[in-house]
């Protein structure tokens, strides 16, 4: 439960999940605690439960994805929702159909919920205003990627026992990173000390207004770190002049076991994937037990099951095992 405009709001009464900026700590806690019984379902031989039978969801990705699209799809299927993916590149979008007409067409088929990824910031919000379907933002431009941050928070809490007052360092291309923004919004609700570090050209000038401390020196930023979230270098979003060469970047910012000397001994390393091994993270670190990249993927299914359940189903007490 959270207070929105003086009114008590439960997540199942929230129509859309567009970002974590406006989601309360209580709502985040409810999603994370609902993800735990969902993760128990994932450990079973037979993972399908009837909870969302009769509900229908569609994934619409205007940008490439492996983890987010597939995990939403399998999360819906495990909960028995009818789950469809619109293959955007072979859809009538290629014939010039507008976004609004595409959404209205899908809505007319009776879907309850749409998961959408788009290269332009604000698109999920625009879609949400133009449809009765529930909308989940699966990443919009450099704005937000709320379900990535939720699975990151879940993974941190699972490893550390609590999200309270941790020192969390986010490394890389902060300028273009929707993962960084959603992590900052989420972690700051739990009193974490958040540091962002990367090249000055990839550091938004106003970033400290979000309550974080900005660094350009990786070794300084890592002092006493409990958690390090390593961002993917988004080569597809780079503008000439902003990005150093890959060699220069990896010399200054690539995380490796040797670069962790300033962090806490029990530091946890996250990466949202897909990884550029040898650029932002060394293979030795990616494949070590310090990094929890594959656990993040599993937790992504559990967290997305929790969200689908809370938005299309009911309260945690009503999960049908
Ligand atoms: N982390 C993430 O969003 O990965 P995908 O682009 O593969 O969905």
């Amino acid at each position: 439960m959270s207070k929105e405009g003086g009114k008590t709001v439960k997540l199942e009464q929230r129509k859309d999940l567009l970002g974590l900026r406006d989601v309360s700590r209580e709502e985040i806690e409810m999603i994370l605690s609902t993800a735990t019984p969902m993760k128990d379902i994932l450990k079973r031989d037979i993972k399908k439960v009837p909870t969302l039978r009769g509900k229908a969801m569609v994934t619409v990705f205007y940008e490439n994805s492996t983890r987010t699209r597939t995990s939403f799809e399998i999360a819906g299927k495990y909960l028995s929702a009818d789950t469809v993916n619109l293959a955007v590149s072979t859809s009538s979008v290629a014939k010039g159909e507008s976004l609004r007409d595409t959404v209205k067409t899908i809505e007319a088929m009776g879907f309850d919920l749409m998961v959408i990824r788009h290269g332009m910031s604000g698109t999920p919000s625009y879609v949400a205003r133009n449809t009765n379907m529930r909308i989940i933002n699966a990443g919009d431009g450099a704005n937000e990627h709320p379900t990535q941050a939720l699975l990151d928070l879940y993974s941190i809490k699972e490893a550390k026992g609590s999200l309270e007052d941790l020192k969390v360092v986010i490394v890389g291309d902060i300028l273009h990173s929707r993962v960084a923004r959603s992590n900052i919004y989420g972690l700051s609700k739990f009193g974490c000390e958040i540091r962002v570090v990367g090249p000055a050209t990839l550091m938004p000038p106003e970033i400290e207004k979000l309550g974080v401390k900005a660094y350009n020196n990786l070794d300084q930023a890592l002092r006493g770190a409990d958690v390090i979230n390593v961002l993917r270098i988004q080569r597809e979003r780079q503008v000439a002049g902003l990005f150093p060469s890959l060699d220069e970047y990896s010399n200054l910012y690539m995380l490796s076991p040797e670069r962790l000397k300033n962090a806490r001994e029990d530091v946890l390393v996250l990466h949202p994937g897909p990884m550029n091994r040898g650029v932002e993270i060394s293979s030795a670190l990616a494949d070590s037990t310090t990094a929890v990249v594959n656990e993040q993927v599993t937790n992504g299914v559990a967290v997305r099951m929790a969200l689908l359940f809370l938005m299309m189903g009911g309260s945690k007490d009503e999960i049908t095992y």
Side-chain angles (χ1 to χ4, degrees), residues 61 64-69 117 138 145 148 178-179 272-274:
F61 279 56
N64 295 343
S65 169
T66 296
R67 279 145 283 269
T68 313
R69 187 173 81 72
R117 170 173 289 186
H145 190 349
Q148 178 66 46
R178 53 199 180 204
V179 174

Side-chain angles (χ1 to χ4, degrees), residues 30-202:
M30 181 167 57
I31 296 163
L32 301 188
S33 68
T34 307
T36 296
M38 296 300 178
K39 194 163 177 184
D40 291 340
I41 293 173
L42 294 180
K43 291 176 189 151
R44 302 184 338 188
D45 279 349
I46 305 223
K47 300 173 181 68
K48 207 169 180 80
V49 294
T51 312
L52 292 183
R53 198 164 48 198
K55 300 287 182 182
M57 58 177 278
V58 58
T59 56
V60 182
F61 279 56
Y62 286 79
E63 285 190 331
N64 295 343
S65 169
T66 296
R67 279 145 283 269
T68 313
R69 187 173 81 72
T70 313
S71 62
F72 263 116
E73 205 169 323
I74 197 65
K77 286 182 196 293
Y78 286 152
L79 294 173
S80 297
D82 290 311
T83 307
V84 171
N85 170 55
L86 178 78
V88 170
S89 62
T90 55
S91 74
S92 290
V93 171
K95 300 177 199 160
E97 188 161 58
S98 73
L99 174 65
R100 190 170 184 280
D101 285 344
T102 300
V103 170
K104 285 292 175 196
T105 302
I106 292 169
E107 182 184 60
M109 295 177 193
F111 285 100
D112 298 288
L113 183 143
M114 176 189 282
V115 179
I116 182 165
R117 170 173 289 186
H118 202 285
M120 191 181 289
S121 298
T123 300
S125 169
Y126 166 79
V127 170
R129 291 195 302 275
N130 284 282
T131 179
N132 293 323
M133 289 181 290
R134 292 175 175 274
I135 300 297
I136 297 181
N137 177 6
D140 62 326
N143 182 36
E144 283 227 41
H145 190 349
T147 61
Q148 178 66 46
L150 287 168
L151 77 87
D152 290 344
L153 264 58
Y154 188 92
S155 304
I156 295 169
K157 190 169 179 212
E158 186 175 58
K160 297 284 175 193
S162 163
L163 289 168
E164 296 286 338
D165 302 325
L166 295 170
K167 286 189 178 62
V168 181
V169 183
I170 304 174
V171 186
D173 176 2
I174 310 296
L175 184 67
H176 296 107
S177 179
R178 53 199 180 204
V179 174
R181 264 168 207 74
S182 288
N183 264 269
I184 290 167
Y185 293 134
L187 289 163
S188 57
K189 297 178 205 285
F190 293 87
C192 292
E193 179 187 324
I194 305 166
R195 304 172 189 163
V196 292
V197 54
T201 49
L202 297 175

Side-chain angles (χ1 to χ4, degrees), residues 300-317:
V301 179
V303 163
R304 287 170 179 130
M305 286 170 76
L307 259 181
L308 295 176
F309 170 71
L310 289 167
M311 290 178 73
M312 289 197 285
S315 72
K316 189 159 61 102
D317 302 331

